[in-house]
Amino acid sequence: MKEYTPSYIKLFQTGELDNRIKILKERLKGCIVCPHHCKVDRPNNERGFCRAGANMVIDGYGPHYGEETVLVGKGGSGTIFFSYCTLRCAFCQNCEISHHGEGYEVTPSELAKIMLSMQSKRCHNINFVSPSHFVPQIVEAVSLAIKDGLTLPLVYNTGGYDETDTLKLLEGIIDIYMPDIKFGDNIKAKKYTMSAKYFDIVRLAVKEMHRQVGDLKTNEQGIACKGLLVRHLVMPENVADTDKILEFIRNEISKDTSINIMSQYYPAHKSYTFPELSRRINRNEYNAAVKYAQKMGLTNVMST
Ligand code: SF4
């Protein structure tokens, strides 16, 4: 792909972006932003499962070089870490931020300035980490940033527990979707994340993401500008059901899906209350996951 202009510019110019913000903000009143559907009054700071209130909370931001090479390039990925989470995994590696909401509040106008500061530092994209519960406020911030010159691709970096109706309102706004698919079985997902029907929900979400942006495309410098990049963390004893996840991607998304099969699981937070989660994975477990992806005919497998 040569020159890439994010489609949010057009949505902004036609006034459609403002329309989306209005609809998204409605979803916060009696909150149905994510699949938990807590129906709490977020604008008045009532809190549901995620524990987030009216204002966005972030734990930090900056050029990040630890993401996939296609996102990082020379300038880094302009990463913004949102506090709180819709999943609350037992093995969470950032529970102070995700579970306890460590961080500080930012207004949409402050978030817009953060995005523009990372654009001026020559980051290649704006990477929203754990954005699911703050989608309306993030889109409002994006609109303010566009007004002041934002042109970078936007990355939606999520645990995958996303409401499809909310995602539909992001069509033409988000350029790169980067969901985890953590579990290939609803019952195991409920045991380790407290979130119901995870595999059903993430399948619908990833299908919607792929419908919007297709397979991952890069520019002439090899930097991602649009598309889907799935992440999957291999777990001990195959508790994640990696094979079912790879079969879903191959059969229901695309054989050319970019997928990062990750090996960095380590026991954290409450992992030690589950004997099967109390160790790292071994080389055989990781190699079996990569081999299965190859056997399935997936053509864009990354290993980290
Ligand atoms: S975003 Fe938070 S409050 Fe809203 S439905 Fe999801 S978990 Fe509940």
Side-chain angles (χ1 to χ4, degrees), residues 62-73 76-81 125 127-129 155 157 178 229 231 260 262 264 302 304:
H64 187 42
Y65 295 87
E67 304 285 52
E68 285 76 354
T69 313
V70 286
L71 294 176
V72 167
S77 178
T79 307
I80 303 172
F81 297 93
N125 46 63
N127 183 348
F128 302 119
V129 182
V155 183
N157 182 343
M178 188 159 66
L229 197 172
R231 285 173 161 174
N260 184 3
M262 303 187 295
Q264 56 265 48
M302 311 170 195
T304 58

Side-chain angles (χ1 to χ4, degrees), residues 67-68 85-89 91-94 98 127-132 155-162 167 176-184 189 193 198-199 201-207 209 228-235 240 245 248-249 257-262 264 304:
E67 304 285 52
E68 285 76 354
C85 178
T86 60
L87 276 172
R88 292 224 295 277
C89 301
F91 50 93
C92 181
Q93 297 173 356
N94 298 303
S98 302
N127 183 348
F128 302 119
V129 182
S130 292
S132 310
V155 183
Y156 189 91
N157 182 343
T158 170
Y161 199 65
D162 285 277
L167 292 174
I176 298 164
Y177 282 103
M178 188 159 66
D180 293 329
I181 304 185
K182 290 175 184 285
F183 292 99
T193 74
Y198 174 83
F199 193 43
I201 282 166
V202 75
R203 275 184 297 177
L204 288 175
V206 173
K207 280 184 187 176
M209 294 172 185
L228 175 72
L229 197 172
V230 174
R231 285 173 161 174
H232 172 63
L233 181 66
V234 179
M235 305 274 288
I245 292 167
F248 159 69
I249 294 170
T257 304
S258 294
I259 170 161
N260 184 3
I261 300 182
M262 303 187 295
Q264 56 265 48
T304 58

Side-chain angles (χ1 to χ4, degrees), residues 33-51:
V33 170
C34 92
H36 284 291
H37 282 208
C38 302
K39 301 196 172 154
V40 294
D41 184 4
R42 290 274 303 275
N44 281 311
N45 263 331
E46 271 183 28
R47 312 219 171 205
F49 176 88
C50 66
R51 299 173 179 161

Side-chain angles (χ1 to χ4, degrees), residues 217-255:
K217 294 154 206 69
T218 55
N219 63 17
E220 285 176 334
Q221 288 75 48
I223 304 295
C225 43
K226 186 172 184 180
L228 175 72
L229 197 172
V230 174
R231 285 173 161 174
H232 172 63
L233 181 66
V234 179
M235 305 274 288
E237 314 285 334
N238 195 24
V239 299
D241 288 292
T242 299
D243 42 341
K244 286 194 204 162
I245 292 167
L246 296 172
E247 285 164 18
F248 159 69
I249 294 170
R250 173 66 181 84
N251 297 332
E252 297 185 52
I253 303 296
S254 154
K255 73 175 175 42

